[in-house]
């Protein structure tokens, strides 16, 4: 009697894997990275290289030497993605050893200390970034001006980002700095200052839409973040909080195109591990992020609120997972 | 184009191997093995004894209760043994063994190929004939058909939904049956409409079978109250709850049967068997099965008498391919992988034999859950598979029940989708069994209390 392989159904699989999804996200980030290299030069290349290599190496070392695991996980490319996203959130001219520390903290504390991929409650790249922001506030708020590929890596000319000016405009009603803002078209295309990966809204939106079409991510989080931010900004304008010279529509556009909004909405908040599992959970997650971010941007001490907003909402995910999907046959709620 | 609303996946349909292969009749075996359970419900009781001479169509075992089905002899010959037998999955049971002699049929069975259009029987007589013929659902679940036609008091059907979907990849027997015996199926639909007292029948066919849609539409044109509905390709559209949602937009509530929303669903092969039973007095003694796979020499659709050892059917298809890892009874999504093929007969439950190469038979290694939520998106019942698996693992039965584990239809969409290759159903199935047992105990305790 010949015996055959017996295993429970189903006997077919979509072919999807963790690695495939990570690879698509990395590919979707490449257009933004190319713009970044064009705008920031060597700094973009070096920072990203250090971040990615340090993240992968940290995961491998912890897994092999500390945890003495049999199976290595770096093949699933999640460390590579974390490295890339961390770099995207940093000033491109950041000292190399600070980038290194950020990467080790992101992977070591933000991911491996919880048990590796799937177990961490907070977005690892953001854990690294916020750690650096608190530990090295001066270096982390020194933004190189985008001078094209000639931008010096080590002693770049620095200046305030559009978000800094926006906050100044709204908080103190000072309209004199409005002409310091880049033209909206430049903001869309990425000809402006900011962190390594956040400047080119066009590339980020394109990459994000690609991921949605490929069903790597769903529309719920990006759309709810963007809609909430737009609404908040619009209301700010309608209640007359904007000074002369700044129209409501203009302000909404600036809030959407500046800072880490597009990067956060499509690539950071949508991180599988740290975002909700259900549709309504995701929508409320996105609304929360958009709201907290705008509160920080408008009234908080920092010009950028994306990182904090996402981390705060990450903490709420177990609660948000209770918003269960509609069951088949259930009457509409 | 219509389809069901929640979840679903799109596996490769892989139907090209056996599609459009004309139905080929398998020769009679030398020995027939007839298991006493080929349906959902109470086991049958043998009514023949060892040594008895039986004719084709004769009753071998009668239904063991209301939810049960007769088993009629698919061959003529002498009963040599009635006893213990194990199926291809090692499950023990009882079977009747018959040494086949000739091919003598009961005289009342009409073996002519002429189409008999008219049915003058009353609904009760129709249902009795279906019950006598031992007809069960041939879509895979094998629920006794006559039970479906007798709704409980207070419930009435208003539509008959005909399942021509065949959503499992690889399988093509229903497709071929519609192409070759469409007229009989249409007559069978008319008979069932009469038995149920409904005016309306909808034949659901997925749009990867355009010729079947065209053929059945043409045949249905001459009949009042039968329409063909092309459906957008999506698994598991053939699941009766999903099919009802797709065809008439009604969702059967949790724990209820389709009759709750006024629908009765029957597979096209079942309806063909109804035609044969009611119009030709021929009980359910054979069915078409698809033998298929990438390396099968002669994949196709084979008409097989029950009791025929599957080794003989496989021989017709060119034998077990060299590189075979798994042999699956049914389709790749819900079929069960067989341990061996010896002493395993074709029976009402077997809709196909799928041979998967070695490379496709090994499950990739399982990773940690990456919390992507794709299983939640894929589940056609709106459940949270990642959670149900974890709760089952932790034996938190109350939580399982609260998260509606009993709604799981075992379709495999979650496992199919999971990028981490998590064994979601391996955890959920035992959880369902356990919670089902708890619910039954609770109901029994309540009933005892009432007394």
């Amino acid at each position: 009697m010949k015996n055959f392989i017996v295993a429970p159904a189903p006997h077919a699989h979509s072919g999807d894997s963790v690695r495939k999804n990570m690879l698509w996200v990395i590919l979707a980030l490449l257009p933004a990275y190319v713009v970044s290299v064009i705008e920031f030069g060597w700094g973009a290349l070096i920072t990203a290289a250090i971040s990615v290599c340090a993240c992968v190496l940290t995961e491998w070392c912890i897994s092999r030497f500390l945890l003495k695991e049999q199976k290595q996980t770096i093949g699933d490319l999640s460390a590579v993605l974390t490295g890339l996203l961390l770099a995207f959130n940093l000033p491109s001219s950041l000292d190399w050893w600070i980038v290194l520390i950020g990467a080790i903290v992101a992977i070591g504390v933000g991911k491996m200390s919880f048990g590796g991929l799937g177990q961490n409650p907070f977005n690892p790249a953001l854990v690294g970034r916020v750690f650096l922001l608190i530990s090295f506030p001066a270096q982390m708020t020194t933004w190189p001006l985008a001078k094209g590929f000639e931008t010096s890596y080590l002693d770049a000319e620095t200046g305030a980002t559009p978000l800094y000016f926006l906050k100044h405009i709204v908080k103190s009603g000072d309209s004199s700095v409005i002409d310091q803002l880049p033209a909206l078209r430049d903001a869309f295309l990425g000809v402006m200052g900011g962190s390594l990966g956040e400047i080119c809204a066009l590339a980020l939106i394109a990459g994000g839409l690609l991921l949605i079409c490929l069903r790597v991510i769903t529309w719920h989080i990006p759309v709810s973040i963007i809609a909430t931010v737009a609404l908040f900004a619009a209301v700010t304008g309608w209640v007359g909080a904007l000074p002369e010279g700044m129209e409501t529509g203009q302000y909404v556009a600036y809030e959407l195109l500046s800072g880490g909004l597009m990067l956060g909405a499509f690539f950071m908040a949508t991180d599988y591990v740290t975002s909700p599992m259900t549709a309504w959970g995701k929508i409320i997650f996105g609304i929360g992020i958009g709201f907290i971010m705008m509160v920080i941007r408008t009234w908080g001490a920092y010009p950028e609120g994306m990182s904090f907003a996402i981390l705060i909402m990450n903490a709420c995910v177990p609660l948000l997972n209770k918003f269960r999907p509609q069951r088949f046959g259930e009457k509409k709620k | 184009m219509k389809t069901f609303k929640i979840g679903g996946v799109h596996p490769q349909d892989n139907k090209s191997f056996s599609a459009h292969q004309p139905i080929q009749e398998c020769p009679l075996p030398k020995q027939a093995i007839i298991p006493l359970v080929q349906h959902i419900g109470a086991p049958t009781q043998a009514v023949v004894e060892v040594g008895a001479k039986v004719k084709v169509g004769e009753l071998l075992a009668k239904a063991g209760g209301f939810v049960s089905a007769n088993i009629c002899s698919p061959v003529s010959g002498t009963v040599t043994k009635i006893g213990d037998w194990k199926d291809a999955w090692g499950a023990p049971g009882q079977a009747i063994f018959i040494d086949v002699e000739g091919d003598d049929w009961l005289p009342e069975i009409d073996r002519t190929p002429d189409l008999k259009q008219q049915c003058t029987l009353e609904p009760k007589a129709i249902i009795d004939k279906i019950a006598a013929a031992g007809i069960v659902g041939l879509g895979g679940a094998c629920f006794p058909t006559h039970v479906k036609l007798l709704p409980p008091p207070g419930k009435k059907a208003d539509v008959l939904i005909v399942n021509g979907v065949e959503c499992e990849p690889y399988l093509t027997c229903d497709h071929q049956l519609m192409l070759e015996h469409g007229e009989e199926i249409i007559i069978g639909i008319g008979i069932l409409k009469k038995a149920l007292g409904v005016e309306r029948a909808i034949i659901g066919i997925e749009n990867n079978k355009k010729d079947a849609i065209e053929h059945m539409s043409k045949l249905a044109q001459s009949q009042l109250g039968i329409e063909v509905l092309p459906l957008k390709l999506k698994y598991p559209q053939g699941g009766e709850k999903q099919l009802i949602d797709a065809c008439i937009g009604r969702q059967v509530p949790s724990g209820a049967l389709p009759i709750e929303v006024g629908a009765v669903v029957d597979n096209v092969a079942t309806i063909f068997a109804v035609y044969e039973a009611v119009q030709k007095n021929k009980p359910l003694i054979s069915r078409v099965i698809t033998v298929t796979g990438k390396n099968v020499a002669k994949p196709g659709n084979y008409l097989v008498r029950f009791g025929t050892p599957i080794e003989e059917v496989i021989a017709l298809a060119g034998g077990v391919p060299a590189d075979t890892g798994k042999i699956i009874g049914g389709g790749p999504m819900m079929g069960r992988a067989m341990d061996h093929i010896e002493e395993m007969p074709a029976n009402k439950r077997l809709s196909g034999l799928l041979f998967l190469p070695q490379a496709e038979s090994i499950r990739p290694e399982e990773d940690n859950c990456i919390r992507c939520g794709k299983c939640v998106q894929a589940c056609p019942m709106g459940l949270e598979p990642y959670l149900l698996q974890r709760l089952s693992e932790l034996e938190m039965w109350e939580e399982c029940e609260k998260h509606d584990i009993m709604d799981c239809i075992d379709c495999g969409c979650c496992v199919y989708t999971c990028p981490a290759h998590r064994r979601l159903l391996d955890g959920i199935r035992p959880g369902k069994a356990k919670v089902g047992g708890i619910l039954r105990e609770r109901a029994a305790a309540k009933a005892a209390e009432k007394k």
Side-chain angles (χ1 to χ4, degrees):
Chain A
M1 186 180 280
K2 178 156 193 263
N3 298 85
F4 295 92
I5 296 174
V6 178
H11 311 281
H13 191 267
S14 58
D16 201 3
S17 66
V18 178
R19 193 190 149 91
K20 258 195 199 159
N21 287 293
M22 297 293 139
L23 202 55
W24 276 120
V25 180
I26 292 169
L27 288 177
L29 284 169
L30 284 186
Y33 186 55
V34 166
V35 174
S36 178
V37 171
I38 294 172
E39 293 294 327
F40 290 121
W42 280 107
L45 288 169
I46 295 172
T47 303
I50 295 177
S51 182
V52 170
C53 293
C55 281
V56 173
L57 206 61
T58 306
E59 182 167 316
W60 186 78
C61 288
I62 292 179
S63 171
R64 188 150 181 319
F65 299 117
L66 203 61
L67 301 172
K68 302 210 201 318
E69 282 174 346
Q70 293 298 329
K71 200 174 72 143
Q72 287 309 309
T73 51
I74 55 171
D76 68 20
L77 301 184
S78 57
V80 172
L81 182 59
T82 301
L84 198 55
L85 286 174
L86 174 64
F88 270 43
N89 276 291
L90 304 174
S92 65
S93 56
L94 195 62
D95 305 83
W96 66 269
W97 53 274
I98 298 183
V99 179
L100 187 63
I101 292 174
I104 294 172
V105 168
I107 293 292
V109 174
K111 183 175 168 189
M112 298 311 283
S113 68
F114 291 103
L117 188 66
Q119 319 274 56
N120 48 296
F122 297 106
N123 187 313
L126 291 178
V127 168
R129 188 208 187 238
V130 169
F131 176 84
L132 290 183
L133 183 63
I134 297 174
S135 312
F136 305 100
Q139 293 96 320
M140 282 291 288
T141 51
T142 308
W143 304 99
L145 293 173
K147 293 285 186 194
F149 202 75
E150 281 75 52
T151 307
S152 174
Y153 169 46
L154 290 172
D155 39 20
E157 203 183 317
T158 62
T161 62
L163 268 189
Y164 174 83
F165 293 118
L166 271 177
K167 192 187 194 70
H168 198 67
I169 288 165
V170 178
K171 220 173 174 184
S172 35
D174 180 5
S175 48
S176 65
V177 291
I178 291 179
D179 52 347
Q180 298 268 21
L181 291 170
L184 274 179
R185 196 198 63 186
D186 287 344
F188 186 57
L189 293 176
V191 187
M192 62 172 180
S195 74
L196 197 157
E198 71 186 21
I199 52 174
C200 183
L202 173 65
L204 291 168
I205 293 172
L209 290 177
L210 175 71
L211 293 182
I212 293 176
C213 285
L214 291 172
R215 291 170 194 238
V216 174
I217 62 175
T218 61
W219 60 265
H220 305 85
I221 294 175
V223 167
S224 37
I225 293 177
I226 292 171
T228 306
V229 169
L231 188 63
F232 194 107
V235 168
T236 309
W238 294 334
V239 299
L242 294 174
E244 274 292 320
M246 176 65 85
E247 299 300 316
T248 300
Q250 222 183 345
Y251 178 63
V252 169
Y254 274 115
E255 285 291 358
L256 289 179
L257 297 176
S258 318
L261 176 71
M262 288 302 170
L263 180 65
F266 286 104
F267 294 94
M268 312 293 304
T270 54
D271 171 49
Y272 286 153
V273 180
T274 54
S275 59
M277 311 278 288
T278 62
W280 274 110
K282 288 176 181 165
I283 291 173
I284 297 171
F285 183 71
I287 293 173
I289 290 174
F291 184 76
I292 295 174
M293 192 196 82
M294 287 307 286
V295 166
I296 297 176
R297 275 191 182 180
T298 310
W299 296 295
Y302 290 95
E304 178 54 276
M306 196 43 139
S307 313
F308 299 115
I310 295 178
L311 288 174
I312 292 170
M313 289 311 291
N314 282 161
C316 301
V317 166
L319 201 61
L320 293 177
N321 277 333
K322 291 194 190 290
F323 284 93
R324 59 180 182 73
Q326 178 152 27
R327 307 286 192 227
F328 184 94
E330 201 174 22
K331 301 269 183 278
K332 286 225 188 286
K333 288 179 253 204
Chain B
M1 205 174 277
K2 287 190 178 172
T3 186
F4 56 97
K5 293 182 208 58
I6 301 177
V9 291
H10 299 93
Q12 267 203 304
D13 85 5
N14 281 321
K15 304 220 186 219
S16 56
F17 303 102
S18 58
H20 302 111
Q21 292 295 332
I23 297 173
Q24 200 183 323
E25 203 167 330
C26 190
L28 291 172
K30 295 205 174 42
Q31 188 198 49
I33 306 172
I34 292 115
L36 289 186
V37 180
Q38 297 181 33
H39 52 268
I40 288 180
T44 55
Q45 284 136 19
V47 298
V48 293
E49 285 173 352
V50 176
K53 294 234 183 279
V54 293
K55 289 212 170 98
V56 177
E58 206 168 313
L59 185 68
L60 287 179
K62 68 174 195 298
F66 176 52
V67 182
S68 187
N70 285 346
I71 295 178
C72 300
S73 183
V75 294
S76 62
T78 313
V79 177
T80 55
K81 176 179 150 194
I82 301 177
D84 292 328
W85 163 80
K86 279 210 181 114
D87 68 11
W89 299 280
Q94 299 276 306
I96 299 175
F97 293 75
I98 301 176
D99 274 350
V100 179
E101 291 148 15
D103 194 20
D104 290 319
W105 290 57
L106 287 178
E108 57 261 33
I109 301 177
D110 174 358
R111 301 190 66 192
T112 65
D114 317 320
L115 271 177
K116 191 162 166 224
Q117 297 272 5
Q118 289 282 53
C119 173
T120 51
L121 297 174
E122 288 300 306
K124 175 151 191 337
I126 296 173
I127 297 176
D128 284 341
K129 260 190 137 169
I130 291 174
I135 298 183
V136 299
L138 294 176
C142 294
F143 188 77
T145 304
H146 65 279
V147 177
K148 257 191 203 175
L149 298 172
L150 294 168
K155 309 234 192 281
K156 171 110 180 47
D158 64 48
V159 62
L160 170 69
I161 295 182
V162 177
N163 195 341
V165 168
E166 201 161 43
C167 58
E168 279 270 13
Y170 286 100
L171 299 185
T172 53
C173 41
D174 287 353
H175 183 186
Q176 200 56 28
L177 198 67
M178 283 192 281
L179 292 177
E180 291 187 25
H181 295 282
E183 291 95 342
E184 290 96 321
I185 294 171
I186 295 285
I187 298 171
I189 293 173
I191 295 172
L192 281 179
K193 279 172 68 188
K194 198 171 178 195
L196 276 171
V198 301
E199 308 270 299
R200 193 179 162 207
I202 304 175
I203 308 175
I205 305 177
E206 277 190 327
N207 69 350
N208 58 351
K209 297 183 257 297
K210 290 194 169 63
D211 52 359
I213 294 173
E214 220 184 288
H215 181 66
M216 296 301 283
S217 296
K218 236 186 269 163
L219 294 176
Q221 260 168 13
S222 56
Q223 305 289 325
L224 210 60
I226 301 181
E227 60 178 284
V228 173
L229 187 62
L231 296 168
K232 185 164 161 231
L233 189 62
K234 191 160 66 162
Y235 176 86
Q237 194 131 234
E240 68 180 0
K241 292 188 178 177
Q242 276 62 41
L243 187 59
I244 297 172
D245 184 23
C247 290
I248 55 175
R250 296 179 211 164
Q251 290 192 345
V252 179
S254 171
L257 290 171
I259 194 72
E260 196 69 37
V261 296
V264 168
V265 183
D266 277 308
N267 179 282
V268 286
T270 313
I271 296 179
F272 177 66
V274 165
Y275 165 84
E276 296 207 300
V278 174
Q279 303 293 74
K280 303 276 176 169
N281 304 319
K282 182 180 165 199
L284 182 59
I285 56 165
S286 62
R287 68 165 297 164
V288 181
I289 72 175
T290 303
V291 182
T292 183
K294 290 199 173 87
N295 300 327
V296 173
K298 285 181 271 188
N301 308 294
Y302 297 89
L303 177 63
V304 186
R305 297 267 186 106
F306 297 144
T308 307
I310 57 172
E311 289 171 286
E312 296 186 23
V313 191
I314 295 170
L316 262 194
V320 177
D323 178 38
T324 298
K326 277 182 182 166
I327 301 184
I328 294 164
M333 296 302 284
M334 290 182 70
R336 295 167 66 208
M338 295 178 172
D339 173 67
H340 55 267
I341 56 172
E342 291 80 5
E343 275 226 347
M344 177 67 194
N347 62 79
K348 297 179 192 177
R349 287 174 143 162
L350 199 66
S351 53
L353 287 167
L354 168 61
F355 294 83
L356 286 181
Q358 187 75 21
E360 290 176 34
S361 302
I362 312 286
R363 298 204 284 187
E365 245 185 287
E366 196 180 4
D367 285 329
N368 276 340
C369 173
I370 59 168
R371 314 200 59 82
C372 63
K374 290 190 181 191
C375 57
V376 179
Q377 290 167 41
C379 179
M381 297 302 289
L383 305 174
E384 293 143 295
Y386 78 96
L387 186 60
L388 291 175
Q389 186 223 8
R390 191 82 185 107
L391 293 173
S392 291
E393 236 172 58
L394 296 170
E395 301 193 6
M396 295 168 65
W397 309 126
E398 253 182 59
E399 290 292 317
C400 282
E401 192 190 333
K402 270 203 208 108
H403 286 274
D404 303 307
I405 198 174
M406 294 310 293
D407 284 355
C408 170
I409 58 171
D410 232 347
C411 63
C413 286
C414 51
V415 185
Y416 177 85
T417 309
C418 180
H421 302 283
R422 306 254 335 132
R423 321 289 193 226
L424 296 165
L425 276 179
D426 285 14
I428 296 175
R429 278 193 199 105
K432 263 178 77 180
K434 185 73 189 183
V435 174
I438 293 174
L439 290 176
R440 275 192 294 275
E441 272 171 36
R442 203 186 289 163
K446 234 192 199 160
E449 232 177 82
K450 281 220 174 104
K451 285 199 187 124

